[in-house]
Amino acid sequence: MIPSDQITGAEALIRSLIAEGTDTVFGYPGGAIMPVYDTLYDYQDTLRHILVRHEQGASHAAEGYARVTGRPGVVIVTSGPGATNILTGLSDALMDSTPMVVITGQVASGMLGSEAFQETDMVAITLPITKWATQIRKAEDIPAMVARAFYIATSGRPGPVVLDIAKDAQIGFMNWKPYKKCSYIRSYNPNPFIAPEQIEAAAAILNEAKKPLILAGHGVSISNAGEQLKTLAEKIQAPVASTLLGLSAMPTDHPLYQGMLGMHGNLGPNYLTNKADVILGVGLRFDDRVTSLVSKYAPDARIIHIDIDPSENGKIVSPDCFITGDAADVLSRIAEKVKPARHDEWLSVFRKCREDENKLIIEKDITPTEGCIRMGEAINYISGQSGHKAIVVTDVGQNQMFAARYSGFTEPRSMVTSGGLGTMGFGLPAAIGARLGCPDRTVILYVGDGGLQMTIQELGTIMEYGINVKIVLLNNNFLGNVRQWQAMFFNNRFSQTPMVNPDFLKIVEAYNIPGENVATREELPAAVDRMLAAPTSYLLNINIDPTDMIFPMIAPGQGIDEILVAIDKKYKPL
């Protein structure tokens, strides 16, 4: 007889997840994780499980959930192929600093190393693409390892962790004690000391600035530092630009906000980077999409870099002042030290760049008068009709870049996209996770015909759980971004980029999702209104000009201010 104070390791896992505040898990059952799923049966009213149609979908849905809520996304999958199917999501989450706790089943301890059915060494595989990974072989170790996993995933620079649990640990018994959350691990310091002299140094540099520029990265959103960012920017009247993942950290209608940085970013932030005398980078990695050719990046600027991860210090650029710390905390301290300032003339240069961009690019993108619908006009219109309040989820490619350029944001945590890894297939499951995380907000997914078909089976998840996601399929029958590079750099040799697509309306109809085709711009307004008003998910299959290209663009090997506004035309101030 089993003592009344003992429970299985599987039940200890579920109790631990609930004690950590988990309300939703994404997963797919299988042999090596079946004891956990059997226990889940008794906790259906407490812990919501979302059955995805592929384990990769579970990982991306968990990412979407984490990005909009700030809480870790939780995934449960079986061993072997079930576990390896989540590798892309783990790598994506690590690159984009997204907290995830992934639980994988494993064969029994006595069978480890024997090449047992569906045995895979998940710890060895996932160590390079996680913040922490460990294997659990005893039931009594499960609560403490869960506590440690949540602490590591969410503290400091967030990221994914893996708990690989042997089957005998799931079915073994243990004495349950009151659950203790983890708040300290020796040798792990997620909240580094913020040196006062570094705050003083940063403030002194900003006080001397004549042409300051603030760059806001994903770390601003992660630390909920939007208000602190605005306070500092307004005090010193500094223009603010964001990375792709930093979008929505600052409202796009704020007078100091200047747009997006990077390969397809706005003219002002990119072109004027090399005119700035001080750059304050907050919660970004200064990756290649932001800096372009590093040797030509910001030659006249003194750089202040704020990041929670000390390994970012000098990794790409050499800052004059690096501050390790939480973005909200550091920005608040700097704001207290800096002197109020005005930079009206400097801001007027940004306005001039915006005027140039309107004439050279934006007007053509959002108000064309002939030809096929363009991605920019569709996204610009949809954003306006949603009041710029929707959570925008994108796949990867031209749809992603156009959505980043022409979506407006009024609320934080409103942009969900795959940045560092650039994962096609991310969009649909991430939109599912975002909607489940924020059920009271409209979620709009922008996706291309290539990316949609990579995880299209997750339409079944939408159907089963009645999840309301507005799917905007920007359909050009091409792998559009690759096609653009082939047109620009490979002599129009469109190798394996044209696509013969199915009838997407018939597919969504099979999943009980309404939708419609939009072939002309005259049809667009009414179709968008029907989509936004629908009480269910809805698909707009918009026929897009296959030759549509995303500009501005900084070609590989070029400086940040060497910007193409057309295939054969570089930007020069008008």
Side-chain angles (χ1 to χ4, degrees):
M1 179 177 292
I2 301 168
S4 59
D5 61 345
Q6 288 196 342
I7 62 172
T8 64
E11 182 159 358
L13 173 65
I14 300 304
R15 288 189 183 185
S16 299
L17 292 177
I18 293 170
E20 287 287 350
T22 305
D23 57 14
T24 303
V25 297
F26 304 89
Y28 205 96
I33 198 69
M34 207 171 292
V36 171
Y37 273 86
D38 183 65
T39 303
L40 268 171
Y41 190 87
D42 297 325
Y43 285 86
Q44 295 178 71
D45 295 335
T46 308
L47 187 60
R48 174 177 59 176
H49 181 280
I50 303 299
L51 177 65
V52 295
R53 288 349 187 219
H54 190 282
E55 290 90 351
Q56 182 179 348
S59 64
H60 295 324
E63 287 186 271
Y65 177 94
R67 294 273 285 275
V68 300
T69 64
R71 302 191 300 273
V74 179
V75 175
I76 303 177
V77 295
T78 193
S79 64
T84 59
N85 279 342
I86 52 89
L87 295 179
T88 299
L90 287 173
S91 185
D92 195 276
L94 184 69
M95 290 282 280
D96 288 350
S97 303
T98 302
M100 286 174 59
V101 175
V102 175
I103 295 146
T104 60
Q106 185 55 274
V107 301
S109 301
M111 301 174 70
L112 289 169
S114 68
E115 296 185 352
F117 179 65
Q118 293 192 335
E119 179 193 359
T120 303
D121 188 346
M122 282 303 292
V123 174
I125 290 174
T126 60
L127 276 175
I129 54 172
T130 56
K131 196 174 175 187
W132 182 60
T134 193
Q135 188 174 84
I136 303 174
R137 301 184 186 184
K138 296 179 180 179
E140 57 264 32
D141 293 338
I142 288 175
M145 291 299 100
V146 171
R148 178 173 287 217
F150 272 81
Y151 178 57
I152 292 173
T154 57
S155 58
R157 181 176 178 173
V161 301
V162 167
L163 296 178
D164 189 51
I165 308 179
K167 195 167 185 179
D168 49 326
Q170 300 172 41
I171 63 177
F173 285 89
M174 60 164 289
N175 292 316
W176 177 259
K177 299 177 181 179
Y179 184 81
K180 293 183 180 180
K181 292 188 177 183
C182 180
S183 60
Y184 172 77
I185 299 174
R186 190 175 62 182
S187 79
Y188 173 57
N189 181 21
N191 300 302
F193 173 73
I194 299 173
E197 61 269 22
Q198 293 299 94
I199 299 294
E200 295 284 353
I205 292 172
L206 288 169
N207 285 337
E208 295 173 359
K210 304 300 181 185
K211 298 178 179 179
L213 175 59
I214 300 176
L215 312 182
H218 192 200
V220 177
S221 294
I222 291 171
S223 64
N224 298 310
E227 287 302 315
Q228 291 84 348
L229 174 69
K230 283 194 294 184
T231 297
L232 176 60
E234 290 168 356
K235 187 172 183 179
I236 63 174
Q237 204 192 30
V240 178
S242 74
T243 65
L244 174 65
L245 292 180
L247 289 169
S248 79
M250 191 169 189
T252 49
D253 61 356
H254 192 284
L256 291 175
Y257 182 72
Q258 305 300 328
M260 185 176 70
L261 300 158
M263 178 176 281
H264 296 293
N266 293 101
L267 287 181
N270 284 334
Y271 186 75
L272 295 177
T273 288
N274 284 5
K275 307 292 184 184
D277 62 0
V278 172
I279 289 177
L280 171 60
V282 188
L284 75 161
R285 296 183 287 115
F286 284 102
D287 76 338
D288 57 293
R289 283 298 195 262
V290 166
T291 63
S292 294
L293 189 63
V294 178
S295 61
K296 294 186 176 181
Y297 182 77
D300 301 323
R302 301 170 71 185
I303 296 176
I304 305 165
H305 189 185
I306 301 168
D307 203 285
I308 193 71
D309 185 354
S311 72
E312 293 298 332
N313 186 4
K315 190 172 78 175
I316 306 296
V317 300
S318 298
D320 296 83
C321 176
F322 185 87
I323 305 175
T324 306
D326 175 78
D329 192 359
V330 174
L331 287 172
S332 293
R333 297 189 191 198
I334 293 176
E336 292 175 358
K337 297 292 182 179
V338 294
K339 300 174 183 177
R342 296 197 63 82
H343 300 101
D344 298 298
E345 185 177 348
W346 175 230
L347 287 168
S348 71
V349 182
F350 279 89
R351 286 193 292 273
K352 178 64 169 60
C353 283
R354 173 62 71 160
E355 292 170 1
D356 290 352
E357 189 170 356
N358 284 336
K359 294 175 183 177
L360 293 169
I361 296 169
I362 295 176
E363 290 177 2
K364 297 175 184 177
D365 277 351
I366 68 174
T367 56
T369 57
E370 57 185 20
C372 298
I373 300 173
R374 302 198 64 188
M375 290 191 190
E377 66 174 308
I379 293 166
N380 181 71
Y381 182 78
I382 293 169
S383 182
Q385 292 300 105
S386 67
H388 310 301
K389 295 183 180 299
I391 293 174
V392 173
V393 183
T394 84
D395 207 77
V396 169
Q398 288 181 321
N399 64 87
Q400 176 187 37
M401 293 295 100
F402 274 109
R405 284 182 55 78
Y406 294 113
S407 295
F409 300 102
T410 59
E411 299 181 35
R413 294 188 179 273
S414 294
M415 179 61 163
V416 179
T417 192
S418 172
L421 198 62
T423 303
M424 287 183 67
F426 171 89
L428 182 59
I432 290 170
R435 175 67 184 187
L436 291 170
C438 292
D440 297 328
R441 295 189 63 188
T442 299
V443 174
I444 301 174
L445 166 66
Y446 295 106
V447 62
D449 40 307
L452 178 61
Q453 293 179 88
M454 286 192 171
T455 50
I456 197 168
Q457 66 272 8
E458 298 310 330
L459 293 171
T461 307
I462 287 177
M463 176 180 67
E464 178 166 348
Y465 298 99
I467 300 166
N468 188 346
V469 173
K470 310 306 181 186
I471 306 168
V472 180
L473 173 55
L474 300 167
N475 189 347
N476 56 12
N477 292 282
F478 263 94
L479 298 177
N481 210 41
V482 183
R483 183 194 185 281
Q484 177 167 339
W485 281 57
Q486 288 173 332
M488 295 179 68
F489 310 121
F490 293 91
N491 299 314
N492 290 305
R493 291 160 59 89
F494 301 124
S495 176
Q496 305 306 312
T497 46
M499 300 190 74
V500 177
N501 286 326
D503 186 332
F504 289 107
L505 287 191
K506 288 183 178 179
I507 292 175
V508 297
E509 181 183 3
Y511 287 102
N512 295 326
I513 298 172
E516 58 185 295
N517 291 319
V518 181
T520 67
R521 59 179 46 89
E522 290 74 23
E523 298 171 341
L524 184 64
V528 170
D529 289 345
R530 285 189 288 270
M531 176 187 73
L532 294 176
T536 64
S537 283
Y538 202 94
L539 173 77
L540 282 192
N541 179 40
I542 304 177
N543 295 332
I544 297 297
D545 183 352
T547 66
D548 202 0
M549 292 192 183
I550 177 76
F551 288 103
M553 179 177 181
I554 302 170
Q558 300 297 301
I560 190 73
D561 57 354
E562 298 176 282
I563 306 168
L564 291 170
V565 293
I567 287 181
D568 56 356
K569 183 179 180 181
K570 284 190 175 181
Y571 172 62
K572 292 182 180 180
L574 299 178

